[in-house]
Amino acid sequence: MIKVDNLSFSFPQKELYNNISFTLEEAQHCAFIGTSGSGKSTLIDILMDPERYMFEGRLEIDPTCTIGYVSQFSQLDKTKDTTVFEYIGEEFIKLQDEITSICTEMETSSDIDSLLEKYQVALDAFDSIGGDDFESNINKKLNLANLMKLKDLRVSDLSGGEFKLIQVMKEMLSRPDLMIMDEPDVFLDFENLNALKNLINSHKGILLVVTHNRYLLNHCFNKILHLENMEIQEFDGRYIDYNFSLLQTKIELQELTVAEGEEIERNEGIIDNLRHIATYNSEASRGRALKARVRFQERLEARRIKAPFVDIKQPNISFGMDNEMEDTVVVTVNNYRVAFDELLLDHVNFEIKSTDKVAIIGANGTGKTTLLRDIFRNNHDSIEINADAKVAYLSQLQGEMLNDANTILEEFIDAGFKTYDEVRSYISNYGFEGEIVNQKIASLSGGEKNMLQLAKVAASKANLLLLDEPTSHLDTYTQLALEKAIEEYKGAILMISHDFYSVVNGMDYVLIIDDKTIRKMSMRKFRQMIYASHFDKDYLETEQKKKSVEMKIELALKDTNFELAKVLVDELEELIKLL
């Protein structure tokens, strides 16, 4: 359907692709992955509208190929008084009305031939998208996503997560040959994420999905496109198999690198010896031998392994504190209540201690963000913040905490840094180097903006972190770096997250929203609840064993014990077969 051959493209300030090639064919459900800012969304724009871009290379798209698209920045039109069923079936209903109108006109018109032609065109269009069964198909999709209860609701009454799923259904039902989705999972709660998984897995056409969600990556795709450092890699198979392939390559490359290092070191010793001899022996043959060795050394250096897909540099996220508090209460919420058009939360009571790491869990639209924002603003009668607490806030609405008109450098000067050099040194830990530091924040990707927010939160040296969906838009490498930073942090964290892995890997317990109030739940019970809804028990036990073996492999590689690493890889391969 689509073939990209040696495509190169760059913006004035950044080269994005260098001779990349890949194909998209029938029945492929393709995950499109890569670090934030690597150009995934731009490549999608090129596929959608190649005439807008001046690129080198070839892009071949089957002329009959139809493309459906779901944006990561979908906006709900609150002015439309449309039900969910009418919204999903808009294209079908429009064609159905057109066919009915033509039939009515044929009853009184003398120009039957032209009306018959119009009738046939409309009928063909209706048939091509499965019009005869559209009501049944809409009901099937709603049932698949467990959203039948929304069928007669107004679209304007939906939560953001529900609307995203409705958009996915609408595009899928029009039967495009290629369906493109750009981070459709962002901000989805656990139930809606599972619904998205079901929709993806039931789709019959080609899918190209930009996602960093580890749950979807592990359960939904049979092809991987990985964009990194201007290069692209294709892998036919599951994400879990792709990662295993990368690990095997990493071991081979590290073993080669060690051998090369030893060869280079041995050669340097020979060069040093020849140079020493040349100081007291001026024979031409000695000089030629030295030059030959130097050239050989240069070739060895040039041959050093470069692996853009294997050893990706993780950002160095580190949350420190200016003021470490003793074991005391830092946040008290007493009989908190919030309502807008309807009551969201009532009789909410809890407290957070100075070393607690706590996740707030609840469905989309249940008041989590409003509660976290009220704690940050500290102007609500029901909320008390310890006087010694220094608070930092990461917002899921990135414009709340970042000024789009600023450059990256200006943003951190505004945050209290003294010089541009100080800013450059600091933000290089977060992957912002070179000309990008002079870019306006408005031009950055969603992942890059969230990374900037994390950098600002870390720079604040606060002892209480309020994090609203911190993993949204972040690539998987940054998610792992964030989990490590949370694990090492000594202060208090109150975090809203729908990312299962971030919650179970980093939090002490959860506050779960249930029947418009909040109750405390142990991590053991939370795991059991999520496992019952989303995972197979044997699958998770196997995944835990897999994680343990992967950690042993990492330790073996650190010790350059390649024989042990290879034995453990065989063990890992057997576990992956069970998944």
Side-chain angles (χ1 to χ4, degrees):
M1 277 289 177
I2 289 182
K3 184 175 182 181
V4 174
D5 189 24
N6 289 321
L7 186 143
S8 297
F9 177 75
S10 61
F11 290 119
Q13 71 276 23
K14 185 178 183 181
E15 187 174 0
L16 284 183
Y17 324 120
N18 182 20
N19 292 325
I20 63 171
S21 300
F22 63 90
T23 58
L24 294 173
E25 298 172 349
E26 285 185 28
Q28 287 183 332
H29 284 189
C30 178
F32 191 11
I33 63 173
T35 49
S36 299
S38 57
K40 298 182 296 296
S41 294
T42 302
L43 188 54
I44 280 175
D45 288 343
I46 293 173
L47 293 179
M48 296 278 295
D49 190 4
E51 300 300 320
R52 278 180 55 206
Y53 293 86
M54 296 288 290
F55 57 82
E56 295 176 9
R58 286 195 308 160
L59 170 57
E60 298 176 16
I61 301 179
D62 188 312
T64 64
C65 179
T66 55
I67 300 178
Y69 178 62
V70 176
S71 167
Q72 63 172 300
F73 301 115
S74 53
Q75 291 296 318
L76 184 60
D77 186 351
K78 294 283 187 182
T79 63
K80 279 193 174 180
D81 194 22
T82 309
T83 67
V84 166
F85 179 83
E86 290 166 344
Y87 177 80
I88 298 174
E90 184 177 19
E91 190 176 351
F92 301 95
I93 294 166
K94 184 180 174 183
L95 282 168
Q96 199 175 50
D97 290 346
E98 185 181 341
I99 290 167
T100 303
S101 173
I102 293 170
C103 289
T104 303
E105 197 177 342
M106 284 168 68
E107 292 175 5
T108 56
S109 174
S110 58
D111 189 9
I112 296 295
D113 288 344
S114 66
L115 286 174
L116 278 172
E117 192 176 326
K118 282 173 65 178
Y119 176 78
Q120 193 59 52
V121 169
L123 203 60
D124 289 346
F126 194 65
D127 287 342
S128 72
I129 58 174
D132 287 341
D133 301 317
F134 87 88
E135 290 188 47
S136 170
N137 289 335
I138 290 173
N139 289 338
K140 284 177 185 175
K141 284 279 189 278
L142 286 167
N143 275 318
L144 188 65
N146 197 27
L147 292 176
M148 197 65 181
K149 60 186 179 290
L150 303 180
K151 181 177 176 179
D152 298 318
L153 282 184
R154 291 181 307 170
V155 171
S156 55
D157 291 334
L158 300 179
S159 71
E162 289 167 341
F163 179 61
K164 180 59 70 78
L165 289 175
I166 296 304
Q167 276 191 302
V168 171
M169 290 181 211
K170 182 174 183 175
E171 287 297 320
M172 284 183 170
L173 281 164
S174 67
R175 294 184 176 178
D177 297 307
L178 169 63
M179 174 97 169
I180 297 176
M181 296 194 279
D182 196 352
E183 297 196 50
D185 49 87
V186 172
F187 305 133
L188 293 188
D189 61 38
F190 291 121
E191 291 301 322
N192 286 336
L193 186 65
N194 214 38
L196 178 61
K197 182 196 82 169
N198 292 340
L199 289 169
I200 287 173
N201 288 339
S202 70
H203 187 64
K204 304 299 184 193
I206 307 171
L207 275 173
L208 179 63
V209 183
V210 176
T211 183
H212 306 300
N213 187 282
R214 288 170 280 179
Y215 179 58
L216 292 184
L217 284 169
N218 285 331
H219 292 85
C220 292
F221 302 101
N222 58 19
K223 177 169 182 162
I224 307 297
L225 280 184
H226 187 175
L227 180 63
E228 214 67 64
N229 298 330
M230 300 181 291
E231 298 181 35
I232 208 161
Q233 182 160 265
E234 277 186 287
F235 181 84
D236 288 321
R238 302 179 303 161
Y239 179 71
I240 195 170
D241 296 319
Y242 176 60
N243 272 340
F244 180 69
S245 170
L246 288 184
L247 180 60
Q248 287 179 305
T249 306
K250 181 178 182 178
I251 292 169
E252 291 167 9
L253 292 179
Q254 287 197 10
E255 194 170 13
L256 276 172
T257 301
V258 168
E260 284 185 348
E262 289 171 355
E263 175 69 7
I264 287 168
E265 191 175 334
R266 190 177 69 82
N267 202 53
E268 281 175 349
I270 293 171
I271 289 171
D272 288 343
N273 191 39
L274 286 170
R275 282 191 174 127
H276 177 67
I277 292 170
T279 58
Y280 59 82
N281 186 335
S282 58
E283 288 180 21
S285 61
R286 298 286 181 188
R288 284 196 297 274
L290 176 59
K291 285 179 181 177
R293 274 288 166 183
V294 169
R295 282 198 298 272
F296 179 59
Q297 179 77 350
E298 286 170 351
R299 285 198 298 275
L300 282 175
E301 290 285 355
R303 228 182 62 199
R304 275 189 186 273
I305 300 299
K306 293 180 177 64
F309 301 100
V310 173
D311 211 11
I312 295 162
K313 183 183 174 186
Q314 282 187 350
N316 181 21
I317 304 171
S318 178
F319 299 130
M321 290 184 291
D322 283 335
N323 175 25
E324 192 168 331
M325 300 174 70
E326 295 178 6
D327 188 19
T328 184
V329 174
V330 289
V331 178
T332 303
V333 176
N334 184 27
N335 208 24
Y336 174 84
R337 183 178 193 274
V338 63
F340 292 107
D341 294 337
E342 61 175 306
L343 181 66
L344 292 178
L345 291 170
D346 198 12
H347 303 303
V348 172
N349 300 280
F350 64 86
E351 59 182 34
I352 306 293
K353 291 187 176 177
S354 55
T355 57
D356 285 350
K357 294 169 185 174
V358 185
I360 304 178
I361 302 296
N364 293 129
T366 49
K368 303 182 297 297
T369 290
T370 303
L371 170 60
L372 202 70
R373 192 180 283 122
D374 280 343
I375 293 172
F376 173 59
R377 290 172 178 166
N378 194 21
N379 58 3
H380 198 289
D381 292 341
S382 300
I383 296 169
E384 184 180 344
I385 308 292
N386 188 304
D388 292 329
K390 184 178 182 183
V391 184
Y393 178 54
L394 182 146
S395 173
Q396 65 165 275
L397 302 174
Q398 295 163 332
E400 267 192 298
M401 306 308 290
L402 298 172
N403 183 351
D404 274 354
N406 272 348
T407 64
I408 294 174
L409 290 175
E410 290 165 349
E411 185 71 16
F412 282 83
I413 293 294
D414 288 352
F417 282 73
K418 302 300 181 192
T419 66
Y420 284 156
D421 284 344
E422 189 184 346
V423 175
R424 285 179 191 275
S425 173
Y426 175 71
I427 62 175
S428 65
N429 293 312
Y430 293 82
F432 296 100
E433 297 177 296
E435 287 304 306
I436 193 172
V437 299
N438 295 308
Q439 280 184 228
K440 297 283 188 186
I441 286 171
S443 70
L444 302 178
S445 70
E448 287 170 321
K449 287 180 181 179
N450 240 29
M451 180 63 78
L452 275 188
Q453 281 205 88
L454 285 170
K456 286 185 71 176
V457 165
S460 71
K461 301 292 183 185
N463 49 26
L464 170 59
L465 308 184
L466 306 176
L467 309 177
D468 192 352
E469 297 283 6
T471 60
S472 66
H473 304 293
L474 294 183
D475 59 65
T476 49
Y477 313 102
T478 305
Q479 289 175 36
L480 292 170
L482 175 58
E483 282 177 20
K484 183 170 180 285
I486 286 173
E487 182 185 348
E488 294 173 351
Y489 181 57
K490 304 300 183 190
I493 295 175
L494 186 57
M495 177 178 83
I496 297 171
S497 180
H498 297 306
D499 182 73
F500 169 79
Y501 299 93
S502 295
V503 174
V504 298
N505 292 338
M507 298 294 105
D508 299 325
Y509 61 89
V510 302
L511 295 172
I512 193 156
I513 296 177
D514 185 23
D515 195 23
K516 301 191 188 306
T517 192
I518 284 181
R519 59 189 172 89
K520 185 175 178 179
M521 181 182 280
S522 71
M523 192 53 65
R524 184 178 63 83
K525 284 191 175 178
F526 174 71
R527 282 173 179 264
Q528 287 174 345
M529 181 184 77
I530 296 299
Y531 291 0
S533 303
H534 298 273
F535 294 101
D536 173 78
K537 184 173 178 288
D538 292 339
Y539 179 94
L540 278 160
E541 286 177 358
T542 306
E543 196 176 60
Q544 286 300 109
K545 290 176 186 174
K546 169 179 166 286
K547 190 174 180 181
S548 172
V549 174
E550 285 171 341
M551 288 174 68
K552 290 177 184 175
I553 292 171
E554 287 298 322
L555 290 172
L557 290 178
K558 279 182 183 175
D559 294 336
T560 62
N561 188 343
F562 298 112
E563 291 308 311
L564 175 59
K566 288 172 186 175
V567 170
L568 290 167
V569 161
D570 291 339
E571 187 180 333
L572 182 63
E573 187 173 17
E574 292 306 308
L575 289 171
I576 285 172
K577 286 176 184 175
L578 299 175
L579 295 169

